[in-house]
Amino acid sequence: MPFAGQMLFQFRTPAGKAAVLPRNVRFREAKSRGLMTAAWLNDRGPFTAALDTGSGITIISEALAREIGARHIKSSPTLVAGLSGREIKAREAVLDRIALGDRTNVLPGTIRVLIAPQLPAGVDAILDPTDAYAPLGYSIDLPRGILSAFDPRNGGLDRSRPPVDGAVVAWLRDGQGSRPFVRFSDGRKALLDTGSNFGLAFSITATPDNYGRVRMSKDVGGGTVSSRRVSPSTVSIGDLELRDVPTDLLDGVEKGAPVILGRDALFPFRLRFDPLHRLIEIAPSGQDN
């Protein structure tokens, strides 16, 4: 989604001391909705939140905003669009307190959110972990279903210390946003998008009839994107070569839509995001941090 929030670096602990980290959070994958976890917003809950690294900002529904008393900070609407380019009007607000997993597992600081008229059925909030955990780094272990935090000032990522059978690569910017892009060896940029159930996905203007069956997906703007699963691909990210990557051709996406690495491509891995050093680690699941 092309709207992106700003990343803040305001460590409140004395220099050299580790931040108090939120505890690990369990999540589960719901194929059509994403990585789901329990959330408490402004001390209300539990609500159902989808962990979406591709969103660029946290989004809550209008009904939820009323229930939790979200503080509006901008009266004029912001336009939000998904892959299809269809736009909806959303208002900006602030959440004073977010907890994940249980009511006492509070994340650092307040965060800016967008209030959308409605979200997909069964989802109360689309949570951008980059925004929600800032200024901390975070890890998403997809096979194990664990979301965890780390202090990037103490034990942050280092390109000279890649994980076994993995890679540490640059966290590329998308304009002024914070969404996590990486560079393939062939020069293409790809968005690491845990909110998408695609594999390696990119747009095509005409899809041959002999490719796999068509799947229809709704985006956050209510637009429809169709996809066809084709033969697996091989791509390289830094020193990491990904073979037999499930690959999808997309139709109905907006012009300039990014190449996506969604959950079907990322599922074997643990992803670590270091916003201070602008680095991303991709490693087999289960490795020690």
Side-chain angles (χ1 to χ4, degrees), residues 4 15 21 42 50 78 86 136-137 172 181 260:
L21 300 179
N42 287 357
T78 297
R86 180 176 176 179
L136 299 173
L172 302 179
F181 284 81
I260 290 172

Side-chain angles (χ1 to χ4, degrees), residues 106-172:
V106 179
L107 304 190
T110 62
I111 69 166
R112 184 166 57 95
V113 301
L114 291 181
I115 301 172
Q118 62 184 19
L119 293 178
V123 177
D124 299 309
I126 297 174
L127 187 75
D128 173 24
T130 301
D131 240 7
Y133 276 84
L136 299 173
Y138 63 96
S139 168
I140 299 177
D141 191 321
L142 287 158
R144 297 171 69 193
I146 297 175
L147 170 68
S148 58
F150 66 93
D151 184 346
R153 300 171 307 165
N154 299 275
L157 299 182
D158 185 339
R159 296 187 79 162
S160 68
R161 294 187 286 108
V164 177
D165 296 326
V168 176
V169 297
W171 180 337
L172 302 179

Side-chain angles (χ1 to χ4, degrees), residues 99-272:
L100 294 182
D102 69 66
R103 186 189 298 271
T104 65
N105 193 36
V106 179
L107 304 190
T110 62
I111 69 166
R112 184 166 57 95
V113 301
L114 291 181
I115 301 172
Q118 62 184 19
L119 293 178
V123 177
D124 299 309
I126 297 174
L127 187 75
D128 173 24
T130 301
D131 240 7
Y133 276 84
L136 299 173
Y138 63 96
S139 168
I140 299 177
D141 191 321
L142 287 158
R144 297 171 69 193
I146 297 175
L147 170 68
S148 58
F150 66 93
D151 184 346
R153 300 171 307 165
N154 299 275
L157 299 182
D158 185 339
R159 296 187 79 162
S160 68
R161 294 187 286 108
V164 177
D165 296 326
V168 176
V169 297
W171 180 337
L172 302 179
R173 291 184 178 274
D174 176 32
Q176 296 300 311
S178 60
R179 295 190 300 169
F181 284 81
V182 296
R183 181 85 63 188
F184 290 157
S185 61
D186 62 11
R188 290 179 296 170
K189 276 201 320 185
L191 174 65
L192 303 184
D193 188 356
T194 62
S196 165
N197 66 352
F198 299 131
L200 168 65
F202 49 92
S203 64
I204 189 168
T205 55
T207 305
D209 291 338
N210 62 343
Y211 286 152
R213 70 180 181 86
V214 176
R215 294 187 299 168
M216 308 301 291
S217 303
K218 290 282 189 180
D219 64 18
V220 70
T224 300
V225 173
S226 64
S227 65
R228 288 180 185 260
R229 183 61 55 92
V230 297
S231 299
S233 302
T234 296
V235 295
S236 295
I237 307 171
D239 294 330
L240 179 63
E241 183 178 75
L242 306 182
R243 299 179 180 179
D244 297 323
V245 178
T247 302
D248 298 291
L249 300 182
L250 307 180
D251 198 10
V253 301
E254 67 171 338
K255 184 178 180 180
V259 174
I260 290 172
L261 275 179
R263 294 193 307 276
D264 275 3
L266 298 172
F267 187 79
F269 299 105
R270 183 201 66 200
L271 310 172
R272 298 185 76 207

Side-chain angles (χ1 to χ4, degrees), residues 1-3 52 54-55 57-61 79-90 114-120 123 125-126 195 217-225:
M1 187 183 68
F3 188 95
D52 187 353
S55 65
I57 195 169
T58 292
I59 306 172
I60 63 176
S61 67
L79 294 178
V80 180
L83 271 176
S84 69
R86 180 176 176 179
E87 295 178 331
I88 58 172
K89 292 181 179 180
L114 291 181
I115 301 172
Q118 62 184 19
L119 293 178
V123 177
I126 297 174
S217 303
K218 290 282 189 180
D219 64 18
V220 70
T224 300
V225 173

